[in-house]
Amino acid sequence: SNGAAVHANGAELVPHSPLRQPFVIGVSGGTASGKTTVCDMIIQQLHDHRVVLINQDSFYRGLTAEESARAQDYNFDHPDAFDTEQLLECMGQLKHGLPVNVPIYDFTNHRRCSERFRKVNASDVIILEGILVFHDQRVRNLMDMKIFVDTDADIRLARRIRRDNFERGRSVISVLDQYGRFVKPAFEDFVLPSKKYADVIIPRGGDNHVAVDLIVQHIRTKLGMHDLCKIFPNVYVVQSTFQI
Ligand code: CTP
């Protein structure tokens, strides 16, 4: 015998390997699809756990003065607009339980606030949200669960006009121009093709309470297994399937 514990049915028992790292959820979807609302709903329901939200938007590259002067010609919906290396570094730290400083992005000036950061502490659950979080394979590989928020394009455009006009200091004309030149083509070239990586597709975005309830239930099951292992580190689980 190799000394392994054996169940009454003969199956070999191995110590349950606890989920030491945080549970990472990726939330993607087109612009103004309701990603933030879905994330907020998940966070609210998981109030008894430590959950942090990381926005891909925080990792937008700051524009140079030259680029900034012609911001209307800049493609903010292309994968190259993001500093993915920095995002990976940050997620790597968090995954290992270390605190990080997340950059703060200013949508009005297309710049990073150079001296200010948002300090994010280690947590049980990390939610990474953004239009292109499923684009890079290395970023996808960090995720334990991938959610795509699927909302009709007309609803998204209507929300986008309202939001960019009120919150990001843009004129309606400039929003429509940017949408036709960059947002829609990049959605078709990069965002939509990454939908195939999703584990769960939520129709109607933030209005879908049933979908969010189901997702939260699944996360709770995963976290519950983790907690049990922390309390009973020597708990054994049956690894091989019992054959008749
Ligand atoms: N963007 C911009 N100007 C910048 C940087 C980004 O207009 N300086 C736009 C890009 O065109 C991109 C969008 O910001 O389409 C990404 O943000 P979005 O996903 O719309 O915002 P969230 O609040 O994350 O989305 P949701 O409404 O789904 O929560």
Side-chain angles (χ1 to χ4, degrees), residues 89-106:
E89 203 182 303
C90 174
M91 289 298 291
Q93 299 262 97
L94 282 175
K95 255 203 123 145
H96 288 99
L98 300 166
V100 289
N101 282 324
V102 177
I104 296 175
Y105 186 72
D106 173 0

PDB file of all heavy atoms in Angstrom, residues 89-106:
ATOM      1  N   GLU A  89      -0.303  42.309 -14.319  1.00  0.00           N
ATOM      2  CA  GLU A  89       0.537  42.419 -13.134  1.00  0.00           C
ATOM      3  C   GLU A  89      -0.330  42.631 -11.893  1.00  0.00           C
ATOM      4  O   GLU A  89      -0.156  41.974 -10.868  1.00  0.00           O
ATOM      5  CB  GLU A  89       1.484  43.596 -13.324  1.00  0.00           C
ATOM      6  CG  GLU A  89       2.726  43.527 -12.485  1.00  0.00           C
ATOM      7  CD  GLU A  89       3.571  44.772 -12.702  1.00  0.00           C
ATOM      8  OE1 GLU A  89       3.923  45.027 -13.873  1.00  0.00           O
ATOM      9  OE2 GLU A  89       3.855  45.472 -11.712  1.00  0.00           O
ATOM     10  N   CYS A  90      -1.280  43.544 -12.038  1.00  0.00           N
ATOM     11  CA  CYS A  90      -2.178  43.882 -10.947  1.00  0.00           C
ATOM     12  C   CYS A  90      -3.029  42.679 -10.532  1.00  0.00           C
ATOM     13  O   CYS A  90      -3.155  42.359  -9.346  1.00  0.00           O
ATOM     14  CB  CYS A  90      -3.043  45.045 -11.432  1.00  0.00           C
ATOM     15  SG  CYS A  90      -4.321  45.522 -10.322  1.00  0.00           S
ATOM     16  N   MET A  91      -3.580  41.975 -11.513  1.00  0.00           N
ATOM     17  CA  MET A  91      -4.422  40.811 -11.212  1.00  0.00           C
ATOM     18  C   MET A  91      -3.593  39.694 -10.574  1.00  0.00           C
ATOM     19  O   MET A  91      -4.064  38.980  -9.695  1.00  0.00           O
ATOM     20  CB  MET A  91      -5.102  40.299 -12.487  1.00  0.00           C
ATOM     21  CG  MET A  91      -6.195  41.196 -13.016  1.00  0.00           C
ATOM     22  SD  MET A  91      -7.584  41.410 -11.876  1.00  0.00           S
ATOM     23  CE  MET A  91      -8.305  39.761 -11.900  1.00  0.00           C
ATOM     24  N   GLY A  92      -2.351  39.564 -11.049  1.00  0.00           N
ATOM     25  CA  GLY A  92      -1.452  38.555 -10.491  1.00  0.00           C
ATOM     26  C   GLY A  92      -1.208  38.790  -9.009  1.00  0.00           C
ATOM     27  O   GLY A  92      -1.260  37.856  -8.204  1.00  0.00           O
ATOM     28  N   GLN A  93      -0.980  40.042  -8.649  1.00  0.00           N
ATOM     29  CA  GLN A  93      -0.751  40.400  -7.240  1.00  0.00           C
ATOM     30  C   GLN A  93      -1.981  40.044  -6.400  1.00  0.00           C
ATOM     31  O   GLN A  93      -1.864  39.423  -5.349  1.00  0.00           O
ATOM     32  CB  GLN A  93      -0.513  41.916  -7.112  1.00  0.00           C
ATOM     33  CG  GLN A  93       0.670  42.438  -7.857  1.00  0.00           C
ATOM     34  CD  GLN A  93       1.858  42.576  -6.931  1.00  0.00           C
ATOM     35  OE1 GLN A  93       2.702  41.690  -6.888  1.00  0.00           O
ATOM     36  NE2 GLN A  93       1.911  43.661  -6.193  1.00  0.00           N
ATOM     37  N   LEU A  94      -3.144  40.483  -6.888  1.00  0.00           N
ATOM     38  CA  LEU A  94      -4.391  40.238  -6.155  1.00  0.00           C
ATOM     39  C   LEU A  94      -4.664  38.745  -5.998  1.00  0.00           C
ATOM     40  O   LEU A  94      -5.128  38.291  -4.966  1.00  0.00           O
ATOM     41  CB  LEU A  94      -5.573  40.889  -6.874  1.00  0.00           C
ATOM     42  CG  LEU A  94      -5.750  42.392  -6.699  1.00  0.00           C
ATOM     43  CD1 LEU A  94      -6.890  42.889  -7.563  1.00  0.00           C
ATOM     44  CD2 LEU A  94      -6.011  42.750  -5.235  1.00  0.00           C
ATOM     45  N   LYS A  95      -4.360  38.009  -7.050  1.00  0.00           N
ATOM     46  CA  LYS A  95      -4.584  36.556  -7.001  1.00  0.00           C
ATOM     47  C   LYS A  95      -3.734  35.908  -5.917  1.00  0.00           C
ATOM     48  O   LYS A  95      -4.100  34.897  -5.341  1.00  0.00           O
ATOM     49  CB  LYS A  95      -4.282  35.918  -8.365  1.00  0.00           C
ATOM     50  CG  LYS A  95      -5.557  35.553  -9.105  1.00  0.00           C
ATOM     51  CD  LYS A  95      -5.348  34.466 -10.124  1.00  0.00           C
ATOM     52  CE  LYS A  95      -6.278  33.289  -9.836  1.00  0.00           C
ATOM     53  NZ  LYS A  95      -6.795  32.575 -10.968  1.00  0.00           N
ATOM     54  N   HIS A  96      -2.585  36.534  -5.662  1.00  0.00           N
ATOM     55  CA  HIS A  96      -1.715  35.988  -4.626  1.00  0.00           C
ATOM     56  C   HIS A  96      -1.980  36.607  -3.264  1.00  0.00           C
ATOM     57  O   HIS A  96      -1.174  36.477  -2.343  1.00  0.00           O
ATOM     58  CB  HIS A  96      -0.245  36.142  -5.037  1.00  0.00           C
ATOM     59  CG  HIS A  96       0.125  35.197  -6.130  1.00  0.00           C
ATOM     60  ND1 HIS A  96       0.181  35.578  -7.449  1.00  0.00           N
ATOM     61  CD2 HIS A  96       0.386  33.870  -6.098  1.00  0.00           C
ATOM     62  CE1 HIS A  96       0.476  34.513  -8.188  1.00  0.00           C
ATOM     63  NE2 HIS A  96       0.611  33.469  -7.394  1.00  0.00           N
ATOM     64  N   GLY A  97      -3.075  37.310  -3.151  1.00  0.00           N
ATOM     65  CA  GLY A  97      -3.472  37.855  -1.854  1.00  0.00           C
ATOM     66  C   GLY A  97      -2.748  39.129  -1.458  1.00  0.00           C
ATOM     67  O   GLY A  97      -2.728  39.492  -0.290  1.00  0.00           O
ATOM     68  N   LEU A  98      -2.139  39.810  -2.436  1.00  0.00           N
ATOM     69  CA  LEU A  98      -1.410  41.044  -2.124  1.00  0.00           C
ATOM     70  C   LEU A  98      -2.240  42.278  -2.491  1.00  0.00           C
ATOM     71  O   LEU A  98      -2.986  42.253  -3.469  1.00  0.00           O
ATOM     72  CB  LEU A  98      -0.090  41.077  -2.909  1.00  0.00           C
ATOM     73  CG  LEU A  98       0.863  39.916  -2.613  1.00  0.00           C
ATOM     74  CD1 LEU A  98       1.966  39.837  -3.660  1.00  0.00           C
ATOM     75  CD2 LEU A  98       1.449  40.058  -1.213  1.00  0.00           C
ATOM     76  N   PRO A  99      -2.096  43.369  -1.722  1.00  0.00           N
ATOM     77  CA  PRO A  99      -2.820  44.600  -2.072  1.00  0.00           C
ATOM     78  C   PRO A  99      -2.191  45.266  -3.288  1.00  0.00           C
ATOM     79  O   PRO A  99      -0.999  45.082  -3.546  1.00  0.00           O
ATOM     80  CB  PRO A  99      -2.650  45.472  -0.825  1.00  0.00           C
ATOM     81  CG  PRO A  99      -1.412  44.971  -0.166  1.00  0.00           C
ATOM     82  CD  PRO A  99      -1.255  43.523  -0.525  1.00  0.00           C
ATOM     83  N   VAL A 100      -2.978  46.020  -4.051  1.00  0.00           N
ATOM     84  CA  VAL A 100      -2.451  46.706  -5.234  1.00  0.00           C
ATOM     85  C   VAL A 100      -2.948  48.146  -5.311  1.00  0.00           C
ATOM     86  O   VAL A 100      -3.965  48.487  -4.715  1.00  0.00           O
ATOM     87  CB  VAL A 100      -2.863  46.011  -6.559  1.00  0.00           C
ATOM     88  CG1 VAL A 100      -2.163  44.709  -6.751  1.00  0.00           C
ATOM     89  CG2 VAL A 100      -4.369  45.853  -6.649  1.00  0.00           C
ATOM     90  N   ASN A 101      -2.224  48.956  -6.076  1.00  0.00           N
ATOM     91  CA  ASN A 101      -2.658  50.312  -6.382  1.00  0.00           C
ATOM     92  C   ASN A 101      -3.172  50.327  -7.811  1.00  0.00           C
ATOM     93  O   ASN A 101      -2.416  50.110  -8.753  1.00  0.00           O
ATOM     94  CB  ASN A 101      -1.478  51.286  -6.274  1.00  0.00           C
ATOM     95  CG  ASN A 101      -1.180  51.627  -4.839  1.00  0.00           C
ATOM     96  OD1 ASN A 101      -2.100  51.738  -4.014  1.00  0.00           O
ATOM     97  ND2 ASN A 101       0.086  51.771  -4.521  1.00  0.00           N
ATOM     98  N   VAL A 102      -4.472  50.592  -7.963  1.00  0.00           N
ATOM     99  CA  VAL A 102      -5.067  50.612  -9.301  1.00  0.00           C
ATOM    100  C   VAL A 102      -5.086  52.063  -9.792  1.00  0.00           C
ATOM    101  O   VAL A 102      -5.497  52.964  -9.063  1.00  0.00           O
ATOM    102  CB  VAL A 102      -6.498  50.028  -9.258  1.00  0.00           C
ATOM    103  CG1 VAL A 102      -7.165  50.099 -10.620  1.00  0.00           C
ATOM    104  CG2 VAL A 102      -6.474  48.596  -8.746  1.00  0.00           C
ATOM    105  N   PRO A 103      -4.643  52.295 -11.039  1.00  0.00           N
ATOM    106  CA  PRO A 103      -4.652  53.668 -11.567  1.00  0.00           C
ATOM    107  C   PRO A 103      -6.072  54.233 -11.631  1.00  0.00           C
ATOM    108  O   PRO A 103      -7.038  53.474 -11.721  1.00  0.00           O
ATOM    109  CB  PRO A 103      -4.085  53.516 -12.985  1.00  0.00           C
ATOM    110  CG  PRO A 103      -3.562  52.142 -13.099  1.00  0.00           C
ATOM    111  CD  PRO A 103      -4.152  51.323 -12.017  1.00  0.00           C
ATOM    112  N   ILE A 104      -6.162  55.536 -11.612  1.00  0.00           N
ATOM    113  CA  ILE A 104      -7.467  56.198 -11.747  1.00  0.00           C
ATOM    114  C   ILE A 104      -7.490  56.916 -13.087  1.00  0.00           C
ATOM    115  O   ILE A 104      -6.593  57.700 -13.397  1.00  0.00           O
ATOM    116  CB  ILE A 104      -7.708  57.184 -10.583  1.00  0.00           C
ATOM    117  CG1 ILE A 104      -7.775  56.395  -9.266  1.00  0.00           C
ATOM    118  CG2 ILE A 104      -9.000  57.983 -10.804  1.00  0.00           C
ATOM    119  CD1 ILE A 104      -7.888  57.258  -8.027  1.00  0.00           C
ATOM    120  N   TYR A 105      -8.507  56.608 -13.898  1.00  0.00           N
ATOM    121  CA  TYR A 105      -8.581  57.157 -15.261  1.00  0.00           C
ATOM    122  C   TYR A 105      -9.619  58.270 -15.333  1.00  0.00           C
ATOM    123  O   TYR A 105     -10.691  58.189 -14.739  1.00  0.00           O
ATOM    124  CB  TYR A 105      -8.929  56.038 -16.240  1.00  0.00           C
ATOM    125  CG  TYR A 105      -8.880  56.455 -17.688  1.00  0.00           C
ATOM    126  CD1 TYR A 105      -7.672  56.700 -18.325  1.00  0.00           C
ATOM    127  CD2 TYR A 105     -10.051  56.606 -18.420  1.00  0.00           C
ATOM    128  CE1 TYR A 105      -7.622  57.083 -19.653  1.00  0.00           C
ATOM    129  CE2 TYR A 105     -10.012  56.985 -19.757  1.00  0.00           C
ATOM    130  CZ  TYR A 105      -8.796  57.224 -20.367  1.00  0.00           C
ATOM    131  OH  TYR A 105      -8.749  57.600 -21.684  1.00  0.00           O
ATOM    132  N   ASP A 106      -9.272  59.298 -16.067  1.00  0.00           N
ATOM    133  CA  ASP A 106     -10.161  60.442 -16.227  1.00  0.00           C
ATOM    134  C   ASP A 106     -10.688  60.459 -17.667  1.00  0.00           C
ATOM    135  O   ASP A 106      -9.954  60.731 -18.604  1.00  0.00           O
ATOM    136  CB  ASP A 106      -9.351  61.714 -15.918  1.00  0.00           C
ATOM    137  CG  ASP A 106     -10.129  62.980 -16.210  1.00  0.00           C
ATOM    138  OD1 ASP A 106     -11.282  62.888 -16.649  1.00  0.00           O
ATOM    139  OD2 ASP A 106      -9.548  64.064 -16.006  1.00  0.00           O
TER     140      ASP A 106
END
